[in-house]
Amino acid sequence: MQKITISDLGKFVGQEVTLQGWLFNKRSSGKIKFIILRDGTGYLQCVYFKGNVSEEVFETIERIGQESSIAVTGKVKEELRAPGGHELDATNLEVIHETHDYPITPKEHGIEFLLDHRHLWLRSSKQVAIMKIRHRVVKAIRDFFDNKGFTLMDPPILTPNAVEGTSTLFETQYFDLGSAYLTQSGQLYAEAGALALGKVYTFGPTFRAEKSKTRRHLTEFWMVEPEVAFNDLNDNMDLAEEFLEYIVQTILVEKAEELKVLERDTTKLQNVKRPFPRVHYDEAVEILHKNGINFEWGNDLGGTDETLVSEQFDRPVMVHHYPAVVKAFYMKRDPNDEKYALAVDVLAPEGYGEIIGGSQREDNLDFLLERIKEHNLPQSAFEWYLDLRRYGSVPHSGFGLGLERTVSWICGLDHLREAIPFPRMIYRNTP
Ligand code: 4AD
Ligand code: MG
């Protein structure tokens, strides 16, 4: 039997085909039964006329429950009002596995119930749409860097040192070698890569033992991190805005159907075009003050601060030159004013907050040694990293984009937990 999927049906109009999938929904109207078949590639209305099929098929349809796995046979018709543009004039139905009492029904369920049943919830049409968008975002990310001559370089997951501060490390025992930590970021390894290959990116899971219960935090999330030799902070911002524009504009074109399923209002996404506004940290503080926020210079921007700043603009905004004290040890200080780090955060519109964090890196050995001491980091664990400043050091920059925050924003989700197949959060590590 030729394997045909719902997405292929355009090639089979007028022909009799058999498709395998799951019973998504059914309804009756006198002598007709309608079922919706789903197969992961789409949805297909199959119409069973009492006169056209056996009594047994009619009874089977009556009996089987939602999510029974089935094979349907019939003639493909063009039907422009139907979701995928086709309908099946059905002649047969075979049951592969009969199911009753599927836990997730079209009625509303609480979020904890849905998360407990995440392995089944993934079959729902919105979750399918999110997973397809996530997949397309991943492809857009890879296409963007691959087409620009970057080399993908996979960093280790088990690492001996902290990148983003020691407070959020997942620790594990590594044989006789003491503690190892799940990586918080591939950046330090990307820097080694940039000095070997010029332009690299890492892309993989990263881990933070974040105690935050916000809708913006996972303990396991995916991050893509480009790193480029000879790029300064401005080059880094140029790259970040071109990258984000590419991702969003690609999804708007390629995943319009899925965005419709999610009922996403895309007008604000259409605006994601270069150039993005570039706002100095001091200007961001001014914006907060003008809006009556009692914000102290020198603090990091919190979630609500980020939202307020980004609300002033119609597209993502790049906030740069944060105070060095709130940023990571590896960031280069502004040579004109040591108070500031050559850092940039990109804030997404519509309250989604920081989706990119990056900087120019400290490339001077002595300054970097000072930073490592100030941050109470063990120098011995960083000797290899310091070598990058001992041998052919160059200015270099990079950033990290959080995949789930990006998907969550593009899909217009309330919480990051739906942007990843099986979310890991402070209070959840199942299923
Ligand atoms: O700003 P962060 O911590 O930067 C770094 O890790 C740098 N080493 C990146 C670099 O320069 N190569 O994290 C980068 C991005 C954030 O902007 C956010 O999108 C995402 O990673 N992120 C999280 N996403 C989900 N859950 C969390 N707990 C996250 N923490 C950071
Ligand atoms: Mg950050």
Side-chain angles (χ1 to χ4, degrees):
M1 187 183 87
Q2 195 188 350
K3 301 263 185 208
I4 298 169
T5 58
I6 293 170
S7 59
D8 285 339
L9 284 180
K11 291 179 264 173
F12 296 93
V13 175
Q15 297 182 39
E16 185 170 87
V17 298
T18 297
L19 295 140
Q20 297 170 308
W22 295 264
L23 177 64
F24 190 65
N25 217 336
K26 60 177 180 182
R27 66 191 165 87
S28 283
S29 157
K31 290 184 175 3
I32 313 177
K33 288 197 186 297
F34 299 93
I35 72 163
I36 308 283
L37 179 81
R38 64 161 197 91
D39 74 348
T41 75
Y43 300 84
L44 176 66
Q45 173 155 284
C46 310
V47 186
Y48 290 84
F49 282 99
K50 196 157 190 152
N52 288 357
V53 296
S54 68
E55 195 56 38
E56 195 193 331
V57 166
F58 234 61
E59 280 162 16
T60 304
I61 295 175
E62 191 73 49
R63 191 184 68 240
I64 60 176
Q66 186 193 345
E67 286 303 311
S68 291
S69 44
I70 52 177
V72 300
T73 302
K75 201 189 226 176
V76 182
K77 281 193 347 196
E78 208 144 59
E79 173 51 75
L80 295 177
R81 287 165 302 177
H86 301 100
E87 194 173 77
L88 197 72
D89 197 354
T91 51
N92 200 12
L93 180 141
E94 267 178 59
V95 175
I96 299 163
H97 180 245
E98 185 168 334
T99 292
H100 295 282
D101 304 321
Y102 182 69
I104 301 177
T105 56
K107 74 165 188 174
E108 287 279 311
H109 294 282
I111 184 66
E112 288 306 317
F113 177 87
L114 290 170
L115 285 168
D116 284 342
H117 294 85
R118 182 64 172 164
H119 48 293
L120 301 177
W121 187 23
L122 286 169
R123 300 182 190 188
S124 305
S125 52
K126 287 199 173 170
Q127 300 306 314
V128 167
I130 296 167
M131 289 305 123
K132 291 200 179 212
I133 290 173
R134 177 184 167 106
H135 169 240
R136 194 60 188 81
V137 170
V138 169
K139 179 168 157 51
I141 287 169
R142 298 186 57 140
D143 287 347
F144 179 84
F145 290 120
D146 294 351
N147 291 336
K148 281 187 170 294
F150 283 67
T151 301
L152 173 67
M153 209 187 78
D154 306 312
I157 301 286
L158 287 166
T159 60
N161 37 18
V163 185
E164 295 298 326
T166 49
S167 64
T168 63
L169 289 170
F170 280 110
E171 192 172 357
T172 183
Q173 184 62 32
Y174 195 82
F175 304 108
D176 296 335
L177 298 181
S179 287
Y181 308 95
L182 294 183
T183 187
Q184 299 164 308
S185 155
Q187 180 195 320
L188 306 190
Y189 298 95
E191 289 184 54
L195 272 58
L197 294 145
K199 297 192 274 188
V200 298
Y201 68 106
T202 68
F203 194 6
T206 49
F207 305 85
R208 307 258 169 115
E210 303 260 16
K211 297 247 161 67
S212 355
K213 288 188 191 165
T214 80
R215 61 200 185 91
R216 294 175 182 175
H217 288 92
L218 297 168
T219 56
E220 177 177 335
F221 63 97
W222 279 60
M223 184 161 37
V224 53
E225 298 179 88
E227 191 72 32
V228 184
F230 306 105
N231 264 13
D232 64 14
L233 177 65
N234 280 319
D235 300 325
N236 207 28
M237 291 198 270
D238 292 346
L239 184 66
E241 65 181 1
E242 188 185 351
F243 179 49
L244 260 193
E245 175 188 281
Y246 178 78
I247 294 172
V248 172
Q249 296 305 323
T250 300
I251 298 301
L252 283 173
V253 173
E254 304 263 317
K255 288 287 151 217
E257 275 298 315
E258 283 78 2
L259 291 169
K260 232 182 264 163
V261 171
L262 297 170
E263 295 167 41
R264 178 69 164 116
D265 172 2
T266 56
T267 44
K268 297 219 166 101
L269 294 175
Q270 309 281 355
N271 284 344
V272 183
K273 298 241 172 83
R274 284 172 286 169
F276 297 170
R278 298 183 183 196
V279 173
H280 191 287
Y281 171 86
D282 290 353
E283 290 171 63
V285 173
E286 245 171 66
I287 291 173
L288 294 174
H289 287 167
K290 269 193 200 136
N291 283 277
I293 305 288
N294 186 13
F295 184 90
E296 200 180 320
W297 192 99
N299 286 342
D300 204 355
L301 301 182
T304 48
D305 306 321
E306 287 177 354
T307 301
L308 224 161
V309 172
S310 69
E311 272 170 2
Q312 317 301 312
F313 305 94
D314 70 346
R315 60 198 70 206
V317 50
M318 303 202 273
V319 180
H320 56 87
H321 281 84
Y322 282 78
V325 285
V326 298
K327 288 294 183 187
F329 78 95
Y330 54 72
M331 291 190 181
K332 191 175 178 65
R333 304 264 168 111
D334 182 350
N336 300 316
D337 190 340
E338 293 267 309
K339 284 201 301 293
Y340 299 105
L342 296 177
V344 58
D345 278 1
V346 183
L347 312 181
E350 303 176 75
Y352 283 91
E354 180 200 332
I355 49 169
I356 285 182
S359 74
Q360 188 169 334
R361 319 307 187 186
E362 183 51 74
D363 49 43
N364 176 288
L365 178 64
D366 295 328
F367 293 161
L368 188 57
L369 273 167
E370 268 175 48
R371 297 290 109 77
I372 286 176
K373 284 201 194 90
E374 282 167 16
H375 285 254
N376 285 320
L377 295 165
Q379 189 184 322
S380 59
F382 288 92
E383 283 301 335
W384 70 267
Y385 183 65
L386 291 163
D387 270 354
L388 306 177
R389 281 74 182 166
R390 291 187 181 109
Y391 306 107
S393 187
V394 296
H396 61 288
S397 301
F399 58 80
L401 168 116
L403 177 63
E404 290 76 17
R405 287 202 190 165
T406 306
V407 171
S408 179
W409 162 47
I410 291 175
C411 293
L413 307 179
D414 294 336
H415 195 297
L416 240 48
R417 62 195 163 202
E418 287 181 58
I420 188 164
F422 293 95
R424 296 290 175 254
M425 293 169 283
I426 178 169
Y427 49 87
R428 177 176 291 279
N429 62 1
T430 56

